[in-house]
Amino acid sequence: MAERSFKKEVQQLRIGAGQEFRGEGILAVTKGLLQSGVGYVAGYQGSPISHLMDVLADAQDIMEELGVHFEASASEATAAATLAASVMYPIRGAVTWKSTVGTNVASDALANLASGGVTGGALIVVGEDYGEGSSIMQERTHAFAMKSQIWLLDPRPNLESMVKAVEDGFQLSEASNTPVILQLRIRSCHVHGRFIAKDNQRPAISLAQALEQPVRDVNRIVLPPASFLHEHEKVRDRWPAAVDFIKQNRLNERFEGDVEEFGLILQGGLYNGVIRALQLLGLADSFGNSRLPLYVMNVTYPVVDDEVLAFCTGKKAVLLFEEGQPDYIEQNLHAILRKAGSATRLAGKNPLPLAGEYTTAVMRDGLQAFLEEHAPQLLPGLEFRAAGEAARQAPASAGSRPLQEQVVSFQRKVSPSVIDALGKVVPPRPAGFCTGCPERPVFSALTLAQEKLGQHHIACDIGCHLFSILPPFNLGATTMGYGLGASSAAAFNVPAAKRPISIMGDGGFWHNGLASGLGNAVFNKHDGVIIIVDNFYSAATGGQDILSSRAVNKNRSTNNPIERAVRGVGVKWVRTLDRTYDVARVQAAIEEALTTPEKGPKVIIAQSECMLNKQRRIKPLFKQAVKSGQRVVKQRFGVDPDVCTGDHACIRLSGCPSLSVKDSGDPLKEDPVAHVDNSCVGCGNCGEVSHAAVLCPSFYRADIVHNPNRWDKWTAGMRQRLIGFLQARRAAQLQRQALQEASQ
């Protein structure tokens, strides 16, 4: 079960030539693959291309009709190695994964693939993700393209350009016998638009035909002396072939403007933001027509020297928009211009930031700084700066404001003092677990265990559980990669008074953790504690099924227990907990693992279903049952304000978003009491953790009955009458006491 279903949208993939396709970027890429006659597709999910895997999974019936094989790979390395089918055979293959973290995992297979080269077109769709919203280290796919000499496409973020890039990528790969990377930023993946479709194509040669007629070319195998010859082939044959194809098919684009002395060079994926920045400075219209000439690099590697020189000829200065660091393209362009003796000045990471996401605001400011230095006459808003405040205070006209006033307003920035003041008023909101997340009680239990046994070294992993590093848990010291939690604690396999603790999720376990973590721990007799959080899905990447998922998947093998795999590699001490919300039980298991005299790796498998996926699964069933008149019960939790002491262990040791505080309503109880808001999903963790911590009795469970039967109504009526009777008697007692006190 993925976080989003594309069952309805994928039907558009069937449309033929001349019909208009409308939809999301990730769906358009899939259509581009089918139009290109792809023979097989594989990949590993992860933002921003996770939905591409979901689309492919939902479109499996359509692909099977065309003879296209699809696999959800065990890892990015598996996906990259899948492209080996295009080495000997003229079969087009495509794989996909998340950004540089995926490329890191896949790099060994990619290096071998690029060295020997391919016969069929090989396309790697990589999701690039910069900025504060990114969940990974800020590195560039461009480095891997340069390292292994794989051509890199970065198309303009509209559906027509992206679909064309898919088709061009396969053709470029075949023309140069080299794999090609198609880089898509998060905005490209989710942009909506339209394009005129083509007919889907069946693969020219099927995988079955290739198996039945095997081909072997020893010169394509990465083995000396062929591996030495491959490097010469890259620069002698493949590079010139790629450059010729790029030039002849005009993969890069030029857009002319009326200003001839200055120009902009940009990565294709930044095109929309650059045009918007130009509009904000009055240098482009609403249709994207720019006054400044543009050279759009839809292919960012290899750089075509002739095209760069032709664009820069006659220009005093050009500004390069290159997102991320190091500045590979800027260095390349400097070398091209200087070697050719060009007098054109190249600006890049000087007016623009050295690192980080190039948002529209960032590019607008960089472009403005460039023009202020080289062509101030192109900025009509500059002459209005002196009267900036007056312009802002001028009464607004009936229509839209003049362009100059818009420019002035966009130049206003929030001062650091205002930001500091806001920081003192608005509390920080670190990323955290979802409401009802079954991983939250695991870390509550770990916190309680450490309060009893002292602080331990904790090695974290990639996944939802990484939020345990942040408040309120503040656990963990390192994270080295997906499935590498146990490996990150390998060096601490030494005699000591305390054992190291490492954590990984079920997704990371099957991705890399089984061999690199558990197998390594068994082999080296690692005397540490390994906690595997099993929430039944690869939850952090979108809720896709994995080997240990409980779901029945007609296309995949699921229901393979983690415990069986753990014992299979030789772990003797294993504890499987089938309900993570039982905080006391989880705490006891952790304390036992940390104190047992038994040596070797100790593995705790903490199991409960991902609450997001559980809600996606049960909510439609719940609504359908209510609508059909069935009796269904929904559990909610609350806090009795009269009993709550204000200790707030439930919040300190849980951090659930549905937990808050409110005034007690009692003038004698100054401290606020805990409160459960309407986002509660009824997991019960708040009551469990507070009870485990301080034996808190203030939580209660309420059963909300939909479509109650006669017994429900009768018992509810009896409860109300009994409660009403007791309340009236209590009120009468208080009134008598008050009268007695008054008479005295």
Side-chain angles (χ1 to χ4, degrees):
M1 176 186 290
E3 64 180 343
R4 179 180 169 189
S5 173
F6 288 87
K7 284 290 186 183
K8 181 179 179 180
E9 290 91 334
V10 296
Q11 297 308 314
Q12 277 203 87
L13 299 176
R14 298 182 184 276
I15 67 175
Q19 294 180 273
E20 186 178 69
F21 181 101
R22 296 189 180 191
E24 195 173 354
I26 220 71
L27 197 67
V29 170
T30 309
K31 177 61 175 169
L33 293 172
L34 299 181
Q35 291 180 174
S36 301
V38 69
Y40 62 96
V41 189
Y44 193 85
Q45 60 275 352
S47 177
I49 56 83
S50 54
H51 285 331
L52 178 54
M53 292 296 295
D54 298 336
V55 167
L56 292 167
D58 287 338
Q60 190 151 345
D61 293 343
I62 299 173
M63 291 193 292
E64 288 176 355
E65 293 171 10
L66 293 168
V68 181
H69 176 66
F70 167 65
E71 280 195 5
S73 306
S75 71
E76 297 87 353
T78 306
T82 304
L83 288 174
S86 295
V87 172
M88 299 294 177
Y89 306 95
I91 305 174
R92 290 183 169 181
V95 297
T96 184
W97 55 70
K98 171 188 177 72
S99 193
T100 50
V101 287
T103 311
N104 285 334
V105 177
S107 59
D108 194 17
L110 284 181
N112 281 275
L113 185 74
S115 181
V118 295
T119 302
L123 187 68
I124 303 125
V125 182
V126 176
E128 200 84 343
D129 196 3
Y130 296 98
E132 290 185 272
S134 175
S135 62
I136 62 163
M137 74 291 290
Q138 299 294 288
E139 292 187 350
R140 298 181 62 186
T141 301
H142 199 102
F144 288 90
M146 295 171 63
K147 176 188 76 70
S148 297
Q149 232 169 277
I150 300 174
W151 317 139
L152 180 62
L153 306 185
D154 190 358
R156 289 193 290 141
N158 63 70
L159 266 54
E160 186 175 358
S161 296
M162 290 158 58
V163 171
K164 183 178 182 297
V166 172
E167 298 168 346
D168 291 340
F170 281 121
Q171 295 173 23
L172 174 60
S173 176
E174 291 165 346
S176 59
N177 302 117
T178 303
V180 172
I181 296 175
L182 172 60
Q183 174 181 288
L184 297 176
R185 290 169 178 77
I186 190 167
R187 288 178 176 82
S188 301
C189 292
H190 301 300
V191 69
H192 282 254
R194 64 185 73 182
F195 68 94
I196 302 302
K198 300 177 183 176
D199 290 331
N200 294 333
Q201 301 292 325
R202 296 185 65 84
I205 297 177
S206 69
L207 293 167
Q209 289 173 316
L211 282 173
E212 293 163 3
Q213 300 175 18
V215 174
R216 179 174 179 271
D217 181 0
V218 71
N219 292 320
R220 289 273 182 225
I221 302 174
V222 185
L223 184 72
S227 55
F228 172 77
L229 298 175
H230 291 162
E231 294 307 300
H232 293 272
E233 181 186 337
K234 284 181 179 180
V235 296
R236 185 189 65 242
D237 302 328
R238 299 188 207 166
W239 187 298
V243 170
D244 287 344
F245 182 89
I246 294 166
K247 290 166 62 176
Q248 292 173 10
N249 292 275
R250 298 181 179 179
L251 300 192
N252 296 319
E253 298 173 283
R254 279 188 63 167
F255 298 92
E256 302 300 337
D258 63 275
V259 178
E260 298 180 355
E261 295 179 320
F262 305 96
L264 306 179
I265 300 176
L266 57 138
Q267 295 167 295
L270 298 178
Y271 177 82
N272 290 4
V274 170
I275 291 296
R276 180 58 179 153
L278 286 164
Q279 290 175 348
L280 295 177
L281 295 175
L283 296 171
D285 61 23
S286 300
F287 298 97
N289 299 309
S290 169
R291 293 193 59 198
L292 292 172
L294 308 178
Y295 175 55
V296 181
M297 300 176 69
N298 294 315
V299 182
T300 53
Y301 187 81
V303 176
V304 182
D305 298 21
D306 295 347
E307 292 183 352
V308 173
L309 289 171
F311 179 77
C312 292
T313 298
K315 291 182 173 56
K316 293 181 179 179
V318 294
L319 174 62
L320 169 65
F321 290 91
E322 178 183 10
E323 190 172 42
Q325 58 87 28
D327 53 349
Y328 300 119
I329 301 176
E330 185 173 346
Q331 294 177 39
N332 199 339
L333 297 193
H334 270 300
I336 293 170
L337 294 173
R338 300 297 82 84
K339 287 179 181 179
S342 173
T344 303
R345 292 187 60 185
L346 175 65
K349 295 294 186 181
N350 187 9
L352 289 158
L354 293 174
E357 183 181 14
Y358 276 13
T359 62
T360 298
V362 167
M363 291 191 286
R364 179 203 66 214
D365 293 344
L367 176 58
Q368 180 174 303
F370 169 77
L371 293 175
E372 285 177 358
E373 179 181 355
H374 297 283
Q377 69 277 9
L378 296 178
L379 289 172
L382 288 178
E383 61 193 67
F384 292 83
R385 276 194 198 169
E389 197 60 37
R392 285 192 291 271
Q393 294 176 0
S397 60
S400 60
R401 291 181 300 161
L403 172 64
Q404 291 86 351
E405 292 186 28
Q406 295 181 43
V407 172
V408 170
S409 66
F410 275 112
Q411 290 167 351
R412 299 183 64 186
K413 297 181 180 179
V414 179
S415 66
S417 60
V418 173
I419 295 175
D420 292 340
L422 283 172
K424 295 176 181 178
V425 177
V426 181
R429 292 186 57 125
F433 298 101
C434 301
T435 301
C437 176
E439 302 188 13
R440 189 186 305 278
V442 174
F443 298 105
S444 299
L446 182 54
T447 300
L448 291 169
Q450 288 199 111
E451 287 181 359
K452 183 176 180 180
L453 301 176
Q455 296 296 309
H456 289 64
H457 175 82
I458 301 175
C460 298
D461 206 320
I462 301 298
C464 296
H465 43 275
L466 197 57
F467 293 134
S468 63
I469 291 177
L470 303 173
F473 303 109
N474 301 304
L475 300 171
T478 58
T479 173
M480 290 290 106
Y482 198 25
L484 296 177
S487 309
S488 304
F492 294 98
N493 187 22
V494 295
K498 294 181 180 179
R499 287 172 171 148
I501 302 171
S502 60
I503 299 162
M504 71 174 74
D506 47 354
F509 172 83
W510 293 114
H511 178 276
N512 203 6
L514 178 58
S516 300
L518 274 297
N520 181 74
V522 171
F523 183 68
N524 289 292
K525 297 183 178 180
H526 179 73
D527 190 32
V529 178
I530 302 169
I531 301 174
I532 302 174
V533 183
D534 179 9
N535 58 29
F536 305 0
Y537 307 92
S538 181
T541 63
Q544 293 83 3
D545 285 335
I546 51 178
L547 275 164
S548 52
S549 293
R550 306 307 194 269
V552 177
N553 191 317
K554 67 175 183 178
N555 298 312
R556 307 284 178 263
S557 174
T558 54
N559 286 281
N560 297 286
I562 290 177
E563 181 176 348
R564 193 178 300 173
V566 168
R567 293 189 182 277
V569 296
V571 179
K572 301 295 190 297
W573 196 103
V574 183
R575 301 289 185 272
T576 298
L577 309 176
D578 58 4
R579 182 175 176 272
T580 63
Y581 298 104
D582 190 340
V583 177
R585 186 182 174 203
V586 178
Q587 179 186 349
I590 294 173
E591 291 177 0
E592 181 189 358
L594 291 172
T595 57
T596 179
E598 187 172 339
K599 300 297 182 181
K602 284 150 283 286
V603 177
I604 298 172
I605 305 171
Q607 301 175 330
S608 277
E609 184 177 9
C610 166
M611 185 55 71
L612 277 181
N613 269 27
K614 182 178 180 179
Q615 293 299 317
R616 294 184 188 115
R617 179 173 57 81
I618 67 174
K619 275 186 176 180
L621 299 176
F622 183 88
K623 290 180 180 178
Q624 184 178 359
V626 172
K627 188 176 181 180
S628 63
Q630 298 180 41
R631 178 187 181 274
V632 287
V633 180
K634 187 175 184 178
Q635 294 182 348
R636 291 287 302 277
F637 286 80
V639 177
D640 188 336
D642 293 332
V643 180
C644 179
T645 63
D647 174 75
H648 300 152
C650 52
I651 298 176
R652 287 185 289 104
L653 294 170
S654 167
C656 180
S658 67
L659 278 174
S660 183
V661 292
K662 70 173 184 178
D663 184 76
S664 66
D666 185 346
L668 299 179
K669 187 184 290 187
E670 296 182 356
D671 293 334
V673 296
H675 173 67
V676 182
D677 66 25
N678 289 330
S679 64
C680 173
V681 294
C683 70
N685 176 55
C686 49
E688 296 268 4
V689 70
S690 57
H691 183 75
V694 292
L695 298 176
C696 176
S698 61
F699 280 86
Y700 64 84
R701 192 188 80 188
D703 292 343
I704 303 173
V705 182
H706 294 261
N707 299 320
N709 55 30
R710 291 182 179 178
W711 173 253
D712 293 323
K713 295 177 180 178
W714 184 83
T715 54
M718 290 299 296
R719 290 192 187 104
Q720 289 178 353
R721 283 192 285 272
L722 178 59
I723 292 171
F725 168 75
L726 294 174
Q727 287 177 335
R729 189 176 69 172
R730 175 61 175 163
Q733 290 175 346
L734 292 174
Q735 187 176 13
R736 285 196 298 271
Q737 290 176 2
L739 291 173
Q740 291 174 359
E741 292 174 357
S743 63
Q744 294 175 357

